[in-house]
Amino acid sequence: MHQPERPWQNVTRRLRRAALLAGAAVVLAGCTSLTNMGLDADLSPSARPVIADNVRTGRLARIGAAQHPRILASYGGEYSDTRLERMVAGIVGRLVTVSDNPSQVYQVSILDTPVINAFALPGGYLYVSRGLLAVANDSAELGAVIAHEMAHVTANHGVLRQQREAEAVLASRVVSEVLSDKAAGERALARGKVALAQFSRNQELEADAIGIAAMGEAGFDPYAAADFQRAMSAFNAFRSGSSAQENSLDFLSTHPSTPQRVSLALGHARKLGAPGTVGERDRNAYLAGIDGMLFGDSPDEGYVRGNTYAHAELGIAFEFPAGFEIENRPEAVLAARASDGAGIRFDGVDVPSSQALTNYLLSGWVEGLDRSSVRATKVNGLDAAVARATVGRWAFDVTVVRGPAQVYRVLVAVPVGSAALEPLAQNSRTGFRLLSDAEKAELKPLRIRVVRAGAGDTVATLSRTMLGSTDRAGFFRVLNGLEPDEQLVPGAYYKTVTY
């Protein structure tokens, strides 16, 4: 997948690792990379899939145990819900009984993040996000995800992947430190990266095949693997505002394209029987397990509602201009506008109350700063300061506002020469304000609420109370894996999102 240019990378030293992608936000799906999460380089599995051997002893198992608390800290901690945990553990238990190593002990953690993700660590540490649980529609679909991750473990993909990565790192050092012909060295390194990506694609396909066979043996419908791939693709397309089935799920091109994986998954499932004749879906038990589960942002992270980010505990709100796609990350709230590449970053930092905000802007954290542009101002009655900066082909407007407990920063980026900087900066900085007590009291997290369709219910009637999207009917369909013209089944249960 092509990585858009990152305008924040050079404007501030402290913000480099949390760079804003100047393009549509991407929901990461499937196994993910932990390379950029700040974990110890000699300990953390550094590429997708994050796997190691399947015995809870030895050096790699100790690595898994050491990484476990760091993984939880990086993904918002563990989501605690006894009913949900038992449901997920039950699915893992069924799969363990048919695995090549049924004595293997697995520890399953539900990550408190809306990001769609699942992966494994050494020693039987399995992780699945509540974001993924919200997208899955039945026990068989979740079983497909977990069986896939367990297959990576049994196939020792992590060990092989680490060996390949070590070779790639060595090649990179040769290019940068030894070869005199830099161009030739870079071409050789590029070929190595392609081979590394292809190796990972083969791993993913092998894990799919092993996982689907295990699903069938455990009594799950093997066709659920393809169904989950479709559901994940449709959800991602809906969230990104596109109806096209793009390759956006192929993070850094290390996974096969979704159509290919769906086609191959269907082929593996057909070996076990015709659709509807093998395995069970166990939809009602699954929906009962996720009923009431937190959906989207957690209270600790604050909430994005429409164009507004609000945090009750901090007592602040920031309204983004229209036309931006917003992503709420732990380190910052990021927004991008596809039409012109403009980006906005909003975050908070600790600044001594004795330090003037103009001096804070001049303290060295902004690279490319036009020192003559620094001036004090007010934003909705609050002390503030503004400045301009230019780095490469990006022009920046930087606003800092002193709130009750922190100083909040608004960074606006547009391509150099764009006339959009001034109006966008004015619009953005005035979007920051303090919340009233009444507004703080009204802020509540969204949750999955499972409802039963009555005889006269339609998508329109069940989706009219849906929150989380202005397209309520479309959101309802994609969340429940419904085709555009598919009708509801009276008496069946469906997911909604509300308070």
Side-chain angles (χ1 to χ4, degrees):
M1 181 179 70
H2 172 67
Q3 288 289 328
E5 185 173 352
R6 301 180 177 190
W8 308 120
Q9 280 185 319
N10 296 315
V11 72
T12 76
R13 296 185 182 95
R14 296 182 182 180
L15 302 183
R16 282 177 179 169
R17 294 183 62 195
L20 167 63
L21 300 179
V26 177
V27 178
L28 301 184
C31 319
T32 191
S33 170
L34 303 184
T35 52
N36 298 318
M37 289 170 45
L39 305 184
D40 293 350
D42 59 338
L43 289 180
S44 68
S46 58
R48 291 186 305 133
V50 185
I51 318 294
D53 58 6
N54 61 336
V55 180
R56 208 166 198 173
T57 58
R59 185 181 66 87
L60 291 180
R62 290 194 297 272
I63 291 173
Q67 292 302 325
H68 177 68
R70 303 176 192 180
I71 294 296
L72 296 184
S74 299
Y75 278 89
E78 193 165 7
Y79 185 74
S80 180
D81 183 316
T82 302
R83 181 179 56 180
L84 184 62
E85 292 164 0
R86 287 175 177 170
M87 183 269 290
V88 174
I91 294 173
V92 174
R94 287 179 61 174
L95 292 168
V96 169
T97 61
V98 300
S99 70
D100 292 338
N101 184 12
S103 63
Q104 168 65 40
V105 177
Y106 289 92
Q107 176 175 323
V108 186
S109 297
I110 301 172
L111 300 174
D112 190 9
T113 174
V115 173
I116 303 173
N117 220 337
F119 51 89
L121 280 182
Y125 292 88
L126 297 178
Y127 303 88
V128 60
S129 69
R130 59 175 172 81
L132 186 146
L133 295 177
V135 174
N137 286 291
D138 53 48
S139 298
E141 289 189 8
L142 179 57
V145 174
I146 294 174
H148 175 95
E149 298 305 329
M150 292 172 67
H152 278 307
V153 175
T154 58
N156 286 321
H157 285 165
V159 175
L160 298 174
R161 181 69 172 182
Q162 289 169 348
Q163 292 172 349
R164 275 299 190 89
E165 283 208 330
E167 295 171 5
V169 170
L170 178 60
S172 178
R173 289 176 180 171
V174 169
V175 169
S176 61
E177 299 173 8
V178 180
L179 292 181
S180 58
D181 187 344
K182 183 178 180 181
E186 288 179 347
R187 288 194 297 270
L189 181 59
R191 288 194 297 271
K193 288 181 177 179
V194 170
L196 189 63
Q198 181 62 46
F199 181 80
S200 181
R201 284 194 290 267
N202 291 338
Q203 286 183 332
E204 293 301 316
L205 295 178
E206 182 181 3
D208 282 346
I210 296 172
I212 291 171
M215 285 177 61
E217 191 174 351
F220 290 117
D221 184 347
Y223 290 89
D227 288 343
F228 180 76
Q229 286 289 336
R230 294 193 192 99
M232 191 167 54
S233 180
F235 187 85
N236 185 69
F238 180 83
R239 280 306 207 196
S240 64
S242 169
S243 60
Q245 298 300 306
E246 301 172 353
N247 290 336
S248 54
L249 298 183
D250 306 326
F251 185 58
L252 297 181
S253 297
T254 55
H255 280 54
S257 66
T258 298
Q260 180 189 19
R261 291 187 75 180
V262 169
S263 177
L264 292 174
L266 290 173
H268 294 311
R270 290 189 189 101
K271 297 175 183 178
L272 303 177
T277 65
V278 288
E280 61 182 11
R281 303 301 290 248
D282 203 15
R283 177 178 170 86
N284 288 352
Y286 181 81
L287 294 182
I290 67 170
D291 188 23
M293 182 182 71
L294 203 66
F295 181 88
D297 301 330
S298 69
D300 291 340
E301 297 169 343
Y303 308 113
V304 174
R305 299 285 189 266
N307 287 338
T308 301
Y309 168 80
H311 198 297
E313 184 176 346
L314 297 176
I316 57 99
F318 180 75
E319 184 175 353
F320 289 86
F324 279 79
E325 184 171 351
I326 304 168
E327 182 181 2
N328 185 11
R329 294 185 181 180
E331 73 276 8
V333 187
L334 310 177
R337 186 166 64 189
S339 61
D340 61 357
I344 300 172
R345 175 189 173 103
F346 174 74
D347 68 3
V349 293
D350 293 324
V351 177
S353 58
S354 59
Q355 184 177 19
L357 293 179
T358 51
N359 290 339
Y360 172 62
L361 285 174
L362 292 166
S363 64
W365 63 276
V366 180
E367 294 187 8
L369 177 69
D370 177 1
R371 299 177 71 87
S372 66
S373 69
V374 178
R375 61 181 177 86
T377 186
K378 292 282 187 178
V379 170
N380 291 326
L382 301 170
D383 290 338
V386 296
R388 291 290 170 88
T390 304
V391 180
R393 73 179 192 91
W394 295 98
F396 295 87
D397 182 273
V398 184
T399 300
V400 292
V401 185
R402 196 178 296 278
Q406 283 188 309
V407 166
Y408 294 92
R409 306 186 293 194
V410 182
L411 279 71
V412 177
V414 300
V416 168
S418 171
L421 182 58
E422 180 58 29
L424 186 56
Q426 290 283 357
N427 193 354
S428 298
R429 69 172 63 113
T430 57
F432 178 80
R433 65 181 179 85
L434 302 183
L435 293 173
S436 67
D437 290 340
E439 288 175 318
K440 287 186 284 187
E442 290 178 357
L443 284 175
K444 301 176 183 177
L446 300 180
R447 296 184 181 276
I448 295 287
R449 302 295 185 187
V450 177
V451 298
R452 190 175 189 178
D457 276 323
T458 64
V459 168
T461 61
L462 289 191
S463 66
R464 62 190 173 194
T465 60
M466 288 275 288
L467 301 174
S469 175
T470 55
D471 181 4
R472 297 184 178 187
F475 188 26
F476 180 88
R477 284 191 179 278
V478 76
L479 191 64
N480 287 284
L482 298 175
E483 297 295 330
D485 58 348
E486 188 173 349
Q487 303 301 308
L488 301 187
V489 177
Y493 292 91
Y494 296 92
K495 293 177 283 184
T496 66
V497 174
T498 185
Y499 294 126

